[in-house]
Amino acid sequence: EKWNEAIATFRELQQESPSYEDVETRLVTARHLARLSSLLREAKTFLEQGNFATCVDKLGEVQRLDASYKQDEVTQLRQEALNRLHEHANRLLQGKKFEESLAALSELRVRSSDYPDVDELEARAQEGIRVRDLRVKLDGLYGQAVQQLNQRAYAEALGLWRAIQRQKG
């Protein structure tokens, strides 16, 4: 994994002895492997930082450049990043951060269209948003009804109470 040193050595060899056996090919290969190694390190750093979607993107770039480069490690790292992105979305959902959860699930779906459980979590997040918004609306109507009762406007308060009853479900 000391690609910079290898590249420097091949450059020196190329300058000192340009006709040396396959020096140009070895230099190109060392540069290619240095690039792949760099991308893999970046992906690991993104995983450690909790930037799971970017980690998966970097690993995708590694696979596009050379599908056989550390194939098992790349596959395992990709699956770990996807799993952590799923766990993150689920924690956000449990914390009632519905919009953030939907954003994380969207990132997961883009990077793994067949990841299990995404549809169910999206449905739960949408339901959470619906219930939260309904509660806000009902609380507003209830506050108005109480205000009408305090002002002895019973007919208006009853109308608001009926509106609450219709929307409660």
Side-chain angles (χ1 to χ4, degrees):
E1 297 292 322
K2 296 182 179 180
W3 298 114
N4 290 334
E5 292 175 24
I7 291 169
T9 302
F10 284 125
R11 279 189 195 143
E12 286 177 28
L13 184 59
Q14 185 182 34
Q15 289 173 355
E16 291 176 15
S17 183
S19 61
Y20 187 81
E21 177 183 337
D22 292 334
V23 70
E24 187 67 33
T25 303
R26 292 177 189 202
L27 182 57
V28 169
T29 301
R31 285 181 178 144
H32 177 68
L33 291 173
R35 175 73 177 132
L36 293 172
S37 178
S38 173
L39 288 171
L40 187 57
R41 273 193 316 275
E42 287 178 33
K44 288 177 181 178
T45 300
F46 284 124
L47 182 68
E48 291 167 3
Q49 294 172 345
N51 196 339
F52 310 121
T54 306
C55 173
V56 173
D57 294 343
K58 286 292 176 187
L59 294 169
E61 196 173 336
V62 169
Q63 289 176 322
R64 281 188 297 282
L65 290 173
D66 188 342
S68 63
Y69 179 75
K70 296 189 178 187
Q71 188 174 10
D72 291 339
E73 183 178 353
V74 168
T75 301
Q76 181 181 6
L77 195 59
R78 183 179 189 279
Q79 190 59 50
E80 183 178 347
L82 291 172
N83 291 345
R84 288 191 185 183
L85 184 57
H86 179 267
E87 291 167 7
H88 177 67
N90 200 15
R91 277 192 307 276
L92 289 169
L93 181 61
Q94 290 172 353
K96 300 189 185 307
K97 296 180 178 178
F98 304 117
E99 288 81 3
E100 293 93 336
S101 178
L102 285 172
L105 290 168
S106 176
E107 288 181 332
L108 180 60
R109 185 179 298 280
V110 165
R111 286 156 184 87
S112 180
S113 60
D114 60 345
Y115 197 93
D117 197 25
V118 173
D119 290 337
E120 180 186 329
L121 291 177
E122 283 180 341
R124 286 177 46 205
Q126 293 291 352
E127 180 63 13
I129 290 170
R130 187 191 72 74
V131 168
R132 181 195 62 206
D133 292 349
L134 179 60
R135 278 194 178 130
V136 167
K137 184 175 183 178
L138 292 175
D139 286 347
L141 289 172
Y142 181 79
Q144 291 174 18
V146 168
Q147 195 175 34
Q148 294 296 329
L149 285 174
N150 288 337
Q151 295 174 359
R152 300 193 188 284
Y154 301 116
E156 291 83 1
L158 181 61
L160 289 167
W161 183 252
R162 286 183 180 151
I164 291 171
Q165 291 301 314
R166 281 191 304 270
Q167 296 179 28
K168 197 167 94 176

